[in-house]
Amino acid sequence: MHYYRYSNPEVSCWYKYLLFSYNIVFWLAGVAFLAAGLWAWSEKGVLSDLTKVTGLHGLDPVVLVLLVGIVMFTLGFAGCVGALRENICLLKFFCGAIVFIFLLELAVAVMAFLFQDWVRDRVKEFFENNIKSYRDDIDLQNIIDSLQRINHCCGAQGPEDWDFNIYFNCNSESKSREKCGVPFSCCIPDPAQKVVNTQCGYDIRKKSKNQWDDQIFVKGCIHALEAWLPRNIYIVAGVFIAISLLQIFGIFLARSLISDIEAVKASNAF
């Protein structure tokens, strides 16, 4: 049996181990995301009853965590193994996937800029659907509460949007104590209170609207986010540029290593 070795084994170690180091971070991060997502699902009983995934009409944040974990794990694994084993197929898969993700991000950014009204309508629809499912999933509830509390907002367009939720709807036949109220995250916090009053939004929408300003946030979260973006445009642009540079660096390393491997194979073919 003859073991074939390159007569010129000089596939660049720099490209090879830089690409491996680049990908091991994403691979381990993907493992962490997957572990966190599966743990969250096990705590909510989803793993024992997968129909709960389709039963939620809003966004299950755990699904997003798992999707990110799967993508990072797959790309990290392909990059690590492809670099160590000098496998051109895995390296081309890694490179092509990164290029596709980069172009997708660019397309989304351009579309969001060109079709702002359409994007605003989709965000409004998305937010309203999640308001409907506010009490159905604890993770979704925590995200909406954090969004409203941090941005000092309430609902998609305003507090009236909480009529989309059966527990807060003023006109429903529900016997819920929260009827015609808003979640506590809509309440203007009292600096003197050290304990969060989770009942502060009860019955607030039974009062006249001119009384709301003193007790709850009346600005919708879509308007709050639209106001936040111009104030933080440099941060958003910086994050986007940093992610883009990381992706371009990964593509450069993968393409350089592929070229080195192909050159070595070509030189040994003669």
Side-chain angles (χ1 to χ4, degrees):
M1 182 180 293
H2 297 282
Y3 292 94
Y4 179 79
R5 295 179 63 86
Y6 295 147
S7 58
N8 178 15
E10 302 305 319
V11 172
S12 173
C13 288
W14 281 103
Y15 293 142
K16 183 174 180 176
Y17 291 109
L18 268 177
L19 185 61
F20 173 79
S21 302
Y22 174 93
N23 279 283
I24 194 67
V25 175
F26 292 100
W27 187 38
L28 293 176
V31 172
F33 273 103
L34 286 172
L38 292 173
W39 173 80
W41 264 5
S42 69
E43 289 292 303
K44 295 194 291 186
V46 174
L47 293 181
S48 58
D49 183 9
L50 291 176
T51 58
K52 291 182 179 180
V53 177
T54 56
L56 181 64
H57 299 293
L59 169 70
D60 184 354
V62 178
V63 173
L64 187 59
V65 172
L66 287 172
L67 286 176
V68 171
I70 290 170
V71 171
M72 293 182 72
F73 178 87
T74 304
L75 291 181
F77 179 81
C80 286
V81 176
L84 287 180
R85 302 296 299 173
E86 299 176 12
N87 188 304
I88 291 180
C89 289
L90 285 176
L91 290 173
K92 285 185 175 179
F93 167 77
F94 167 80
C95 191
I98 294 293
V99 169
F100 173 76
I101 292 172
F102 176 76
L103 293 176
L104 188 62
E105 291 169 349
L106 196 60
V108 169
V110 172
M111 294 289 285
F113 178 75
L114 294 178
F115 302 100
Q116 295 181 22
D117 291 337
W118 182 86
V119 171
R120 189 180 295 109
D121 290 340
R122 299 290 76 77
V123 171
K124 178 177 177 291
E125 181 181 336
F126 175 76
F127 204 101
E128 289 172 354
N129 287 334
N130 285 292
I131 285 176
K132 293 177 185 177
S133 305
Y134 175 77
R135 288 296 187 204
D136 298 343
D137 184 83
I138 187 63
D139 294 321
L140 176 62
Q141 182 176 309
N142 289 334
I143 285 180
I144 292 176
D145 283 335
S146 298
L147 179 65
Q148 293 187 144
R149 191 166 54 247
I150 293 171
N151 291 285
H152 295 174
C153 60
C154 187
Q157 302 280 9
E160 296 95 337
D161 288 335
W162 282 98
D163 274 336
F164 288 112
N165 187 283
I166 190 172
Y167 297 103
F168 296 94
N169 191 300
C170 290
N171 302 316
S172 71
E173 299 299 323
S174 171
K175 303 294 183 182
S176 170
R177 181 62 188 86
E178 296 174 312
K179 183 177 179 179
C180 220
V182 292
F184 75 93
S185 53
C186 285
C187 297
I188 298 173
D190 184 352
Q193 279 187 337
K194 294 184 179 179
V195 178
V196 176
N197 178 10
T198 57
Q199 300 179 0
C200 60
Y202 285 9
D203 302 322
I204 186 65
R205 289 190 293 124
K206 290 181 180 178
K207 301 177 181 179
S208 61
K209 290 187 177 181
N210 56 11
Q211 294 180 285
W212 292 3
D213 290 357
D214 297 328
Q215 295 180 264
I216 63 172
F217 304 120
V218 295
K219 180 168 60 175
C221 289
I222 293 177
H223 299 304
L225 291 173
E226 287 176 342
W228 176 88
L229 187 58
R231 296 197 307 267
N232 298 273
I233 190 65
Y234 293 114
I235 295 175
V236 174
V239 170
F240 181 78
I241 291 171
I243 293 173
S244 299
L245 289 175
L246 278 174
Q247 291 171 329
I248 292 170
F249 181 62
I251 294 168
F252 167 76
L253 288 177
R255 289 303 308 163
S256 299
L257 185 55
I258 289 170
S259 297
D260 263 19
I261 296 170
E262 289 176 338
V264 169
K265 284 187 175 181
S267 66
N268 283 293
F270 296 99

